[in-house]
């Protein structure tokens, strides 16, 4: 049982490039989330999904897109990367609307 | 706008001391208040959580105190150990159960 896995661990992008951050969970959780963590700012919710085919915006969705075609996968797409998207990105999942979220190890993204 | 305000930003205590981390919120629709612990390079992990109709909850050396009328809650770590050195985040879950709002984090250092 690997839990929540994220790839890549690190990435450097040039301004204007695009990329997809991958997230997979093997716990059969229906709820999945994407957060970004910036120093001194805590975690901010970007997008979440309550099940395959259903996604919704969180606090800071601008510049990002998501899709949820399977229960296991919840990729986050960055289009036209900007320096403001330099951050650590965490994917999380939960069973139902449990208050306990399981977090992946994070992806550190730098946009220069 | 920060939905959950957390203080202090950093805290240093001696081994055996009782660090206290405080959080405050405004939205009375929040229905769960979890605390997460994060070690460097790792994702956050759930430590303990409380509902707003409970005034105190203990799990091992960790205690949450909750003051519903003041809209404040705090984490106490009894007999703190160097292994407790980490960043701690308070959070609040929206009444719909779909969104979590995190505090800005407290970096705790326990000196041997």
């Amino acid at each position: 049982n690997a839990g929540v896995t994220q790839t890549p661990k690190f990435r450097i992008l040039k301004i204007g490039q695009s990329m997809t951050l991958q997230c997979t969970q093997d716990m059969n959780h229906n709820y999945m989330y994407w957060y970004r963590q910036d120093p001194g700012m805590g975690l901010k919710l970007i997008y979440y999904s309550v099940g395959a085919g259903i996604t919704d915006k969180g606090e800071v969705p601008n510049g990002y897109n998501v899709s949820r075609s399977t229960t296991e996968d919840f990729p986050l797409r960055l289009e036209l990367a900007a320096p403001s998207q330099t951050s650590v990105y965490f994917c999380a999942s939960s069973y139902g609307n449990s208050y306990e979220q399981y977090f992946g190890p994070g992806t550190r993204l730098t946009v220069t | 706008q920060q939905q959950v305000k957390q203080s202090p930003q950093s805290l240093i205590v001696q081994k055996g001391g009782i660090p206290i981390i405080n959080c405050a919120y405004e939205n009375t629709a929040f229905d769960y208040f979890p605390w997460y612990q994060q070690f460097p390079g790792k994702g956050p992990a759930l430590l303990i959580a409380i509902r707003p109709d409970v005034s105190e909850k203990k799990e091992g050396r960790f205690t949450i105190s909750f003051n519903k009328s003041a809209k404040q809650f705090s984490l106490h770590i009894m007999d703190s150990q160097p292994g407790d050195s980490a960043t701690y985040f308070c959070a609040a879950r929206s009444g719909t159960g779909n969104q979590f709002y995190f505090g800005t984090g407290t970096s705790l250092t326990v000196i041997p």
Side-chain angles (χ1 to χ4, degrees):
Chain A
N1 193 332
V4 180
T5 57
Q6 292 182 240
T7 56
K9 287 192 187 327
F10 304 95
R11 183 72 185 268
I12 298 174
L13 276 184
K14 293 190 186 305
I15 294 172
Q17 286 184 323
S18 301
M19 76 163 294
T20 299
L21 281 65
Q22 301 291 346
C23 174
T24 299
Q25 54 89 11
D26 62 359
M27 297 175 282
N28 202 31
H29 287 169
N30 52 342
Y31 281 52
M32 295 187 75
Y33 310 81
W34 273 106
Y35 292 91
R36 59 177 290 170
Q37 183 177 31
D38 300 300
M41 297 296 292
L43 289 94
K44 299 287 188 184
L45 182 64
I46 304 171
Y47 270 96
Y48 65 95
S49 168
V50 301
I54 306 169
T55 63
D56 210 343
K57 296 177 181 179
E59 282 184 274
V60 291
N62 292 343
Y64 306 95
N65 275 302
V66 293
S67 59
R68 183 97 181 269
S69 57
T70 67
T71 300
E72 295 78 19
D73 301 304
F74 190 39
L76 178 71
R77 178 85 177 158
L78 279 72
E79 306 280 1
L80 298 174
S84 60
Q85 293 178 304
T86 293
S87 189
V88 180
Y89 291 85
F90 287 100
C91 179
S93 70
S94 66
Y95 183 71
N97 63 350
S98 166
Y99 61 77
E100 181 170 12
Q101 297 177 87
Y102 293 80
F103 283 82
T107 294
R108 183 174 293 275
L109 176 68
T110 301
V111 182
T112 62
Chain B
Q1 182 187 359
Q2 195 69 28
Q3 296 261 3
V4 179
K5 293 182 168 61
Q6 183 172 346
S7 64
Q9 186 175 357
S10 63
L11 197 50
I12 301 173
V13 300
Q14 296 277 357
K15 177 184 172 186
I18 305 175
I20 301 172
I21 304 170
N22 301 299
C23 287
Y25 66 98
E26 286 297 325
N27 189 343
T28 55
F30 290 148
D31 68 348
Y32 257 104
F33 299 86
W35 283 89
Y36 282 82
Q37 180 188 55
Q38 184 180 30
F39 293 104
K42 304 290 186 184
L46 180 71
L47 201 56
I48 186 173
I50 197 167
R51 294 196 324 255
D53 57 348
V54 175
S55 61
E56 185 177 275
K57 183 173 181 181
K58 290 184 182 181
E59 283 188 9
R61 295 184 294 107
F62 300 92
T63 299
I64 302 178
S65 297
F66 195 92
N67 186 329
K68 188 174 180 178
S69 60
K71 289 185 275 188
Q72 295 175 348
F73 58 110
S74 58
L75 177 71
H76 303 232
I77 305 175
M78 307 302 176
D79 187 28
S80 58
Q81 301 296 314
D84 297 329
S85 297
T87 299
Y88 292 82
F89 293 95
C90 61
R93 191 179 79 169
S94 67
T96 59
N98 293 336
Q99 295 204 38
F100 289 80
Y101 298 90
F102 283 77
T104 50
T106 296
S107 176
L108 172 66
T109 302
V110 181
I111 300 170

